[in-house]
């Protein structure tokens, strides 16, 4: 298996996990905090999608999907390209209000589609390209893609866990 196939296999698992975490949930369930000030299912899935959208757009030197469409309005937010949820306060977490589970599924689907197209064209040598010099050592494309996948998988697992709590609570 080449590197493009390996990364594609990893990222192709996420759309089904996202759908399973949110499909059929009401806006109230998506916004439910397991405890005051804690991340909701809607915020977790929005955040993992924003991180992937932000980072992949950056390595493509392209506009984020979030900025170019009506996505922000569907979440009660503005189309701020720097707002990925990183460092959000409890008030900022609470402000993320997806209009529906479908809004989360659709936004993730749009981001995943672009990511998939990008991954399909990768060559092994591409992964050594430095994409962020603000870190020591500088971050390569390979490290960035693994980091995004790890973040997405962790957060979709958290969302699935919270869904289980909602359904058994």
């Amino acid at each position: 298996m080449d590197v493009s196939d390996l990364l594609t296999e990893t990222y192709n698992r996420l759309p089904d996990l996202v759908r399973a975490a949110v499909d059929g949930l009401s806006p109230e369930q998506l916004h439910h905090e397991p405890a005051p000030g804690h991340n909701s299912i809607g915020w977790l899935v929005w955040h993992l999608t924003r991180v992937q959208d932000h980072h992949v757009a950056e390595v493509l030197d392209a506009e984020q999907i979030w900025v170019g469409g009506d996505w922000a309005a569907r979440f009660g937010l503005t189309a701020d390209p720097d707002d990925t949820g990183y460092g959000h306060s409890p008030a900022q977490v609470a402000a993320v209000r997806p209009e529906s589970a479908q809004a989360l599924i659709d936004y993730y689907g749009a981001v995943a589609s672009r990511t998939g197209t990008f991954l399909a064209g990768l060559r092994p040598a591409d992964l050594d390209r430095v994409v962020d010099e603000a870190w020591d050592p500088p971050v390569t494309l390979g490290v960035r893609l693994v980091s995004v996948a790890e973040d997405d998988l962790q957060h979709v697992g958290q969302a699935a866990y919270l869904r289980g709590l909602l359904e058994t609570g």
Side-chain angles (χ1 to χ4, degrees):
M1 178 178 277
D2 73 15
V3 70
S4 175
D5 291 342
L6 181 63
L7 287 167
T8 297
E9 176 65 26
T10 301
Y11 278 85
N12 278 351
R13 293 174 184 227
L14 283 158
D16 288 340
L17 295 172
V18 165
R19 181 176 295 281
V22 302
D23 199 27
L25 294 180
S26 69
E28 294 77 26
Q29 289 171 312
L30 293 170
H31 189 65
H32 172 77
E33 295 178 347
H38 288 77
N39 300 335
S40 65
I41 294 170
W43 184 89
L44 286 164
V45 174
W46 169 83
H47 168 65
L48 72 87
T49 308
R50 287 292 301 122
V51 167
Q52 188 177 141
D53 188 10
H54 178 275
H55 288 349
V56 171
E58 187 173 64
V59 299
L60 290 172
D61 194 27
E63 183 177 70
Q64 295 172 35
I65 291 169
W66 177 255
V67 174
D70 69 342
W71 298 109
R74 295 180 70 186
F75 291 81
L77 300 169
T78 61
D80 179 354
D82 296 322
D83 186 10
T84 64
Y86 183 75
H88 264 188
S89 69
Q92 289 170 306
V93 169
V96 177
R97 299 191 68 95
E99 67 185 18
S100 65
Q102 196 61 50
L104 289 160
I105 293 166
D106 291 348
Y107 177 42
Y108 188 80
V111 170
S113 177
R114 178 167 64 182
T115 299
T117 299
F118 170 64
L119 294 175
L122 278 181
R123 298 178 322 262
D126 296 332
L127 299 178
D128 294 328
R129 177 171 60 99
V130 172
V131 296
D132 189 346
E133 294 186 7
W135 298 91
D136 185 17
V139 176
T140 64
L141 177 60
V143 169
R144 176 61 45 89
L145 290 171
V146 168
S147 175
V148 170
E150 181 260 342
D151 187 70
D152 283 5
L153 288 164
Q154 183 177 73
H155 288 314
V156 79
Q158 293 166 342
Y161 177 78
L162 290 179
R163 182 186 183 121
L165 291 177
L166 278 175
E167 292 174 347
T168 60

